[in-house]
């Protein structure tokens, strides 16, 4: 440790045992290493004592006083700024997730990306930024990860180097360690709002104009099966959550995900989550997404929601959409509505051969609308860039009819907005839109290139 201990004694005019509060000129004379050393010493000192009474709800003041007393047994004179920082970090280790706590508590941060113990990036308001947040070492980072995954029954080690999990408040977590991650343990946390987003919130964020959500509300009420398509981090899950605001309260929903992220507005919602067996535990059932989809159909759902369709569960999802579960929703990774349909074909045939003509008939009958979302490279905003109807087949190929569209992807400095193409969907008569709804909507005069 540096000479700040001796400097403090000199500044205060006393010994370490009797020194009064140090002078303000001294309080900043310490480094990150000093704080780390003191934090480690405090944690080591209290490690032999039970802290249950201090960690109980409503005992924060008592815990703080206990930690101050412990710290001053190491540094006998008070140093306000230093004490505050050390106590905060110790409390984060005892009650939270260590150095991640300030980032998790910042509502403007949407993504936390850790690469090794000393490099952490965040995404804030659509922009990625390098931070000064760091762990003490690799052991410290791994211990924090264990606190995240172990309560969920997950395990991360050399035999299981990849793990998906979630924090208690629903934030999604992905972890990759050696030997898969070759330049340090990788930890990614996708944060979600602590409140249920409404269409008005997305309108304020510039995701789409209000009339788009008025239109989508009618589509949801009319029981149209919809897929939300987009790339990683484009806002698919957020859009799915917002669309759930339009589902009637008297409907029964079954939601399925690998790691729960959705927070459906309907009270009568069942949330299912996949589970993978760890090691050779043969007595433990391996619950995959196809198993969940099959199981959901025996739960008497009015609608099913597949958080992310990425495998052979696509086949069961399509069957559900075609057998009375109107208004079902899901998300899929794709760059356009037509790409989304190709991805569906691929996933449906991963473990089973199906004639292409039969498969396309099933897909075109099941999926009514595809909503394409994309993250704007210029502004970082997540936007709806296309809404298309799947109008059946023509000469064996899909009829993808854009209803609303904007130019995408935008070049640097380029701007555009969502407009009506002039196409009226075949189910328009089922939508209770206000008279003259399209009269006040901007129309695109020519095809987007």
């Amino acid at each position: 440790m540096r000479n700040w201990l001796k400097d403090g004694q000199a500044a205060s005019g006393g010994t370490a045992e009797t020194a009064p509060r140090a002078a303000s000129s001294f309080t900043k004379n310490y480094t990150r290493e000093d704080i780390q050393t003191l934090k480690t010493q405090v944690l080591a000192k209290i490690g032999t004592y039970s802290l249950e009474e201090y960690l109980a709800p409503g005992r924060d003041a008592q815990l703080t006083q206990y930690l101050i007393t412990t710290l001053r047994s190491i540094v006998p004179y008070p140093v306000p700024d230093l004490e505050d920082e050390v106590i905060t970090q110790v409390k984060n280790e005892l009650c939270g997730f260590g150095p991640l706590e300030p980032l998790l508590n910042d509502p403007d941060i949407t993504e936390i990306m850790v690469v090794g113990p000393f490099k952490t990036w965040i995404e804030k308001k659509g922009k990625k930024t390098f931070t000064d947040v760091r762990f003490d070492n690799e052991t410290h980072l791994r211990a924090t990860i264990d606190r995240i995954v172990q309560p969920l029954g997950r395990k991360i080690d050399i035999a299981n180097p990849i793990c998906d999990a979630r924090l208690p408040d629903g934030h999604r977590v992905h972890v990759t360690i050696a030997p898969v991650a070759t330049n340090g343990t990788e930890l990614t946390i996708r944060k979600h709002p602590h409140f249920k987003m409404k269409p008005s919130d997305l309108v304020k964020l510039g995701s789409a104009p209000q009339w788009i959500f008025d239109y989508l509300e009618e589509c949801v009420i009319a029981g149209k099966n919809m897929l939300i398509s987009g790339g990683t981090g484009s806002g698919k899950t957020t859009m799915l959550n917002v669309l759930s605001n339009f589902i009637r309260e008297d409907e029964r929903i079954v939601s399925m995900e690998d790691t729960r992220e959705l927070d459906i507005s309907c009270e009568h919602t069942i949330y299912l989550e996949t589970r993978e067996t760890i090691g050779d535990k043969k007595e433990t059932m391996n619950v995959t997404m196809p198993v969940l989809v099959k199981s959901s159909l025996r739960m008497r759902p009015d609608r099913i929601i597949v958080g992310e369709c990425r495998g052979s569960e696509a086949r069961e999802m399509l069957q559900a959409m075609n057998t009375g579960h109107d208004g079902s929703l899901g998300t899929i990774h794709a760059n356009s509505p037509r790409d989304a349909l190709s991805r569906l074909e691929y996933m449906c045939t991963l473990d089973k051969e199906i004639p292409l003509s039969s498969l396309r008939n099933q897909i075109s009958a099941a999926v009514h609308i595809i909503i394409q979302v994309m993250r704007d490279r210029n502004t970082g905003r997540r936007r709806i860039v296309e809404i298309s109807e799947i109008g059946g087949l023509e000469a064996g190929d899909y009829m993808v009819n854009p209803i609303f569209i904007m130019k995408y992807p935008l070049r640097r400095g380029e701007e555009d907005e969502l407009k009506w193409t002039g196409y009226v969907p075949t189910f328009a008569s089922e939508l209770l839109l206000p008279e003259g709804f399209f009269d006040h909507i901007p129309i695109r005069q020519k095809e987007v290139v």
Side-chain angles (χ1 to χ4, degrees):
M1 193 175 293
R2 294 177 50 207
N3 292 327
W4 61 266
L5 180 61
K6 296 179 181 178
D7 294 342
Q9 295 171 16
S12 59
T15 64
E17 287 74 14
T18 62
R21 183 172 292 275
S24 59
S25 60
F26 156 67
T27 58
K28 292 293 185 182
N29 191 21
Y30 54 83
T31 67
R32 181 195 296 270
E33 287 71 25
D34 296 332
I35 295 172
Q36 179 181 331
T37 300
L38 287 174
K39 180 190 73 173
T40 303
Q41 290 179 357
V42 171
L43 288 170
K45 193 151 188 145
I46 65 178
T48 56
Y49 299 95
S50 173
L51 294 177
E52 289 185 7
E53 61 175 303
Y54 295 109
L55 297 179
R59 300 276 293 174
D60 184 72
Q62 290 83 349
L63 174 61
T64 299
Q65 187 56 51
Y66 174 73
L67 294 177
I68 290 175
T69 302
T70 304
L71 177 59
R72 289 184 183 175
S73 70
I74 302 170
V75 181
Y77 52 88
V79 184
D81 292 342
L82 179 64
E83 281 187 351
D84 291 344
E85 185 63 32
V86 173
I87 296 303
T88 297
Q89 291 198 18
V90 171
K91 289 171 71 174
N92 287 344
E93 293 293 338
L94 294 174
C95 308
F97 299 107
L100 299 175
E101 279 299 304
L103 306 181
L104 292 171
N105 293 328
D106 187 336
D108 293 329
I109 294 176
T110 54
E111 198 110 22
I112 303 169
M113 297 154 279
V114 179
V115 182
F118 309 126
K119 296 179 181 178
T120 300
W121 284 263
I122 61 171
E123 182 180 88
K124 193 170 187 176
K125 297 180 179 179
K127 303 293 183 181
K128 293 185 181 67
T129 308
F130 184 73
T131 73
D132 61 354
V133 172
R134 54 187 291 175
F135 293 81
D136 297 345
N137 46 46
E138 179 70 16
T139 301
H140 184 203
L141 173 56
R142 290 289 297 276
T144 303
I145 290 172
D146 286 340
R147 289 209 301 274
I148 295 173
V149 303
Q150 285 179 353
L152 301 175
R154 308 288 172 91
K155 186 177 182 181
I156 185 82
D157 54 23
I158 293 178
N160 304 278
I162 298 176
C163 180
D164 288 310
R166 54 181 164 79
L167 296 179
D169 51 8
H171 300 328
R172 189 181 74 186
V173 177
H174 179 79
V175 182
T176 309
I177 66 171
V180 175
T182 58
N183 63 330
T185 295
E186 177 274 332
L187 168 66
T188 304
I189 300 176
R190 172 77 56 82
K191 291 179 60 183
H192 298 290
H194 289 287
F195 59 94
K196 290 185 178 181
M197 294 195 75
K198 299 178 180 179
S200 57
D201 297 315
L202 293 189
V203 172
K204 291 177 183 177
L205 293 172
S207 297
Q210 180 60 49
W211 52 265
I212 279 289
F213 291 105
D214 294 339
Y215 187 86
L216 291 175
E217 179 177 8
E218 288 302 317
C219 293
V220 172
I221 294 173
K224 298 295 112 179
N225 296 325
M226 292 189 276
L227 283 182
I228 301 170
S229 167
T232 302
S234 59
K236 299 186 297 298
T237 301
T238 299
M239 186 62 62
L240 189 53
N241 270 322
V242 168
L243 292 182
S244 74
N245 284 276
F246 304 138
I247 300 175
R248 296 196 314 268
E249 281 295 330
D250 62 347
E251 296 191 55
R252 177 177 168 90
I253 313 299
V254 179
S255 169
M256 293 147 283
E257 299 173 89
D258 285 322
T259 302
R260 182 180 166 183
E261 297 179 78
L262 294 173
D263 188 10
I264 307 301
S265 295
C266 288
E267 184 176 354
H268 196 176
T269 300
I270 300 169
Y271 295 96
L272 305 179
E273 192 176 72
T274 61
R275 184 183 71 174
E276 295 183 7
T277 56
I278 300 175
D280 58 351
K281 295 183 179 180
K282 296 181 180 179
E283 72 280 2
T284 304
M285 181 180 180
N286 189 30
V287 183
T288 62
M289 186 62 76
V291 171
L292 289 184
V293 176
K294 289 179 181 178
S295 178
S296 72
L297 300 181
R298 300 183 178 96
M299 298 181 182
R300 204 270 180 218
D302 292 305
R303 304 178 192 238
I304 66 168
I305 296 178
V306 180
E308 184 174 337
C309 193
R310 64 177 74 182
S312 59
E313 68 273 7
R315 192 167 57 249
E316 281 74 23
M317 181 186 71
L318 292 174
Q319 290 175 359
M321 289 178 170
N322 277 323
T323 55
H325 302 90
D326 296 335
S328 294
L329 305 168
T331 71
I332 188 171
H333 272 85
N335 294 324
S336 71
R338 193 167 289 277
D339 286 346
L341 296 172
S342 297
R343 285 266 297 161
L344 273 178
E345 291 179 358
Y346 168 73
M347 290 186 290
C348 287
T349 56
L350 278 173
D351 58 358
K352 186 176 182 180
E353 290 188 10
I354 303 175
L356 184 59
S357 59
S358 173
L359 179 57
R360 287 189 171 182
N361 278 321
Q362 187 175 358
I363 292 175
S364 63
V367 180
H368 302 132
I369 299 172
I370 295 181
I371 303 170
Q372 186 68 35
V373 293
M374 183 172 286
R375 184 179 171 211
D376 191 325
R377 298 176 183 174
N378 297 322
T379 64
R381 288 184 301 169
R382 293 159 172 85
R383 306 175 67 179
I384 297 178
V385 295
E386 182 177 348
I387 298 176
S388 290
E389 178 193 16
I390 310 306
L393 299 175
E394 185 176 51
D397 199 6
Y398 299 105
M399 296 172 61
V400 180
N401 302 313
I403 307 170
F404 307 104
I405 195 170
M406 63 174 281
K407 183 174 182 179
Y408 67 94
L410 295 174
R411 300 185 182 92
R412 182 179 298 176
E414 196 173 20
E415 295 183 3
D416 198 11
E417 61 179 358
L418 207 59
K419 296 178 181 179
W420 180 37
T421 63
Y423 173 77
V424 178
T426 58
F427 53 79
S429 61
E430 303 175 42
L431 310 182
L432 299 179
L433 294 169
E435 186 175 351
F437 175 81
F438 289 100
D439 295 344
H440 306 289
I441 295 175
I443 185 169
R444 186 167 298 281
Q445 300 298 334
K446 58 183 180 179
E447 184 179 354
V448 175
V449 179

